[in-house]
Amino acid sequence: MNVKLCEQYLAPFFGEEELAPYLARAAEARRQLAEGDCPGREFLGWQHLPETIDPAEVERILAAAEQIRRESDVLIVVGIGGSYLGAHAAIEFLQGPLHRLEPGAFQVFFAGCDLCGGQLEELIRLCETKRVSLNVISKSGTTTEPAMAFRVLRQWMEKRYGAEETARRIWCTTDREKGVLRQMARREGYGSFVVPGDIGGRYSVLSAVGLLPMAAAGIDIRRVLAGAAAACRELEDAGPHNPACRYAAIRNLLYGRGRKVELFASYEPRFAVMGEWLKQLFGESEGKEGRGIFPASATFSTDLHSLGQYLQEGTRQVFETVFWFERGAGEWTVPRDEEDLDGLGFLAGRTFRQVAWQALQGTMLSHTEGGTPNLLFTLPDMGEESLGSLIYFLELACAVSGLVLGVNPFDQPGVEGYKANMFALLGRPGYEERRAQLLKRL
């Protein structure tokens, strides 16, 4: 497997004997997952998905992606939360945030993940002279943010292309049988894929939910799945040396000692949106019943110039989980300059990655000495197989960690609270009594 866990920076904070009871709980959680004997057992379809995904489904995804790339310059992905974050993270991880600005590059944009009309207006204006396809992702089709964006974009496309051509350019990823979006796909003749019923949104990136946008972006999804499948096989063991179990155990030990915030960090700007996916994966899985580690993310060394002081000397409630990639895209070397006015002569001839590695080591040593525990994950590169391994590793570690914590890592009951209040205040039928109560409070 491509993901390696380095624990050397944790030595000042606990010993193996202190970790042992947490490892035992993690091993039991791993067994429960394998046997389907745990809370949320109806949402365990992600566990073997990389190995069991139907090859015919993969071929359908690749064929749809080929059609999208052949007939369009842009794919707009409409979704929120798990319906878009995984794909967005994967595309930026593999291609970088500036790739779509390259002349002639196929562009993937994301909409329906906010309530900003100005953002949507800018996107439409940007796409006016481009050929556009649309992938709308929602189990129900009624989630407010993507439903609003889809209505606007659908009508804009119908005005531009006509109803028949628009239908060829829209792809729905939704429930197999029910829901508004499934009904629309049948009625209008949209191409469609299935959101697996036994996989929650934040665990769905290795299904059609994430694979279709990835493939449309030009990513080799077979290699992504191969990396995930390799991790799936290697992480079957429930013993104390399973790195996913060890990571879950370490997180819970630190949490029990007052470390309530986990900062996910990388020295790669391409990892930034992965940090956003991680915040949903862990935050929505663990944050319930008054418990859970708060997930945050940062890009180093950029954020060391804003958060470094706090991490070094602030309240001792944070631990850091750092991701390092031994090879990345582009290996610029610091050039020589005879005048050396900037004083960088001592770096001449070194690559940026070599400098970043020394920055990582120096930072981790400094933060550890300052009282902040640090975990380090290393991967050989930022390729498709490494991405697949990392996604599966993190999904499994999150599930194990949630069970060790004592919560159901596959539900999200608290998410409905704000939605109910929003619907009531907007005057949605059926919410009249709640609306009256809220207006009194306001």
Side-chain angles (χ1 to χ4, degrees):
M1 186 181 65
N2 288 334
V3 185
K4 305 296 181 185
L5 171 61
C6 174
E7 301 178 32
Q8 72 181 79
Y9 300 96
L10 296 170
F13 300 97
F14 59 84
E16 193 69 16
E17 69 284 355
E18 296 165 284
L19 185 61
Y22 291 91
L23 283 171
R25 287 158 58 186
E28 173 60 15
R30 182 70 189 93
R31 182 200 64 77
Q32 290 177 323
L33 287 167
E35 297 178 6
D37 180 27
C38 62
R41 60 181 62 86
E42 65 273 26
F43 293 109
L44 296 179
W46 57 273
Q47 274 199 102
H48 296 288
L49 181 64
E51 296 179 302
T52 61
I53 188 169
D54 186 350
E57 173 81 345
V58 175
E59 291 302 319
R60 285 188 63 238
I61 291 170
L62 290 169
E66 183 182 355
Q67 178 182 329
I68 290 168
R69 290 177 65 85
R70 184 175 62 249
E71 298 180 354
S72 301
D73 309 303
V74 170
L75 173 66
I76 301 175
V77 179
V78 179
I80 195 167
S83 295
Y84 94 100
L85 267 174
H88 192 183
I91 292 169
E92 287 220 359
F93 180 96
L94 293 168
Q95 298 182 338
L98 301 180
H99 171 78
R100 66 187 182 191
L101 300 181
E102 295 178 7
F106 186 86
Q107 297 174 302
V108 179
F109 293 107
F110 296 88
C113 46
D114 54 55
L115 291 168
C116 180
Q119 181 98 334
L120 190 59
E121 182 180 1
E122 288 179 19
L123 176 59
I124 289 174
R125 186 165 60 246
L126 183 66
C127 294
E128 286 286 2
T129 59
K130 301 178 184 294
R131 301 174 301 162
V132 176
S133 288
L134 193 67
N135 176 207
V136 55
I137 307 169
S138 174
K139 259 187 179 177
S140 66
T142 59
T143 304
T144 305
E145 296 90 339
M148 289 170 59
F150 182 44
R151 178 181 286 200
V152 170
L153 290 166
R154 184 178 74 249
Q155 292 185 3
W156 169 70
M157 290 179 70
E158 288 175 347
K159 183 176 180 181
R160 178 179 176 183
Y161 292 115
E164 185 176 343
E165 178 63 15
T166 294
R168 291 187 65 257
R169 292 177 172 272
I170 291 179
W171 302 83
C172 298
T173 308
T174 187
D175 188 86
R176 185 180 301 276
E177 297 294 337
K178 60 182 186 297
V180 171
L181 203 52
R182 175 56 62 190
Q183 294 176 20
M184 293 180 69
R186 287 173 179 151
R187 186 185 69 196
E188 304 295 335
Y190 300 150
S192 68
F193 292 91
V194 172
V195 179
D198 59 353
I199 300 177
R202 57 190 178 276
Y203 291 86
S204 68
V205 61
L206 296 175
S207 72
V209 171
L211 294 176
L212 178 58
M214 278 192 256
I219 291 167
D220 187 342
I221 60 172
R222 289 194 182 96
R223 290 185 61 199
V224 174
L225 289 169
C232 180
R233 291 188 295 271
E234 293 185 36
L235 294 171
E236 286 182 350
D237 176 45
H241 300 294
N242 182 323
C245 291
R246 290 192 68 85
Y247 174 46
I250 291 167
R251 297 180 79 250
N252 279 275
L253 169 59
L254 292 173
Y255 175 69
R257 296 190 174 184
R259 302 292 173 161
K260 309 296 186 184
V261 179
E262 180 175 17
L263 182 71
F264 297 106
S266 172
Y267 287 73
E268 282 284 353
R270 290 180 173 215
F271 194 83
V273 184
M274 281 292 292
E276 298 302 306
W277 176 71
L278 279 166
K279 287 193 289 191
Q280 185 194 11
L281 179 66
F282 282 91
E284 201 168 62
S285 296
E286 292 189 321
K288 54 200 71 166
E289 301 177 25
R291 285 174 274 180
I293 299 167
F294 184 85
S297 64
T299 300
F300 288 167
S301 64
T302 304
D303 290 324
L304 289 176
H305 292 261
S306 57
L307 297 176
Q309 173 62 38
Y310 184 94
L311 293 169
Q312 187 72 38
E313 296 183 347
T315 59
R316 304 294 82 190
Q317 61 180 337
V318 180
F319 68 95
E320 297 174 62
T321 299
V322 182
F323 296 85
W324 172 257
F325 305 91
E326 294 172 356
R327 296 188 304 278
E331 286 296 344
W332 284 90
T333 298
V334 180
R336 301 188 183 280
D337 186 327
E338 295 302 324
E339 293 187 72
D340 196 28
L341 294 177
D342 52 16
L344 293 182
F346 71 102
L347 296 179
R350 301 191 190 189
T351 67
F352 275 53
R353 184 162 300 277
Q354 289 171 329
V355 175
W357 174 244
Q358 300 305 322
L360 178 149
Q361 290 185 302
T363 300
M364 296 187 85
L365 288 170
S366 180
H367 288 184
T368 298
E369 291 168 1
T372 299
N374 273 244
L375 298 88
L376 175 64
F377 286 109
T378 64
L379 289 91
D381 54 43
M382 298 191 76
E384 284 96 339
E385 291 184 17
S386 289
L387 174 64
S389 292
L390 183 59
I391 288 171
Y392 187 84
F393 176 92
L394 292 166
E395 288 178 345
L396 178 61
C398 180
V400 171
S401 183
L403 293 176
V404 171
L405 182 64
V407 300
N408 179 349
F410 307 113
D411 67 357
Q412 53 280 335
V415 172
E416 301 307 316
Y418 92 88
K419 292 181 181 178
N421 283 351
M422 179 177 69
F423 292 152
L425 291 172
L426 288 169
R428 182 170 179 169
Y431 288 78
E432 292 80 8
E433 184 177 348
R434 191 184 190 100
R435 174 179 168 80
Q437 294 171 351
L438 293 177
L439 288 175
K440 284 182 181 179
R441 290 171 57 189
L442 291 172

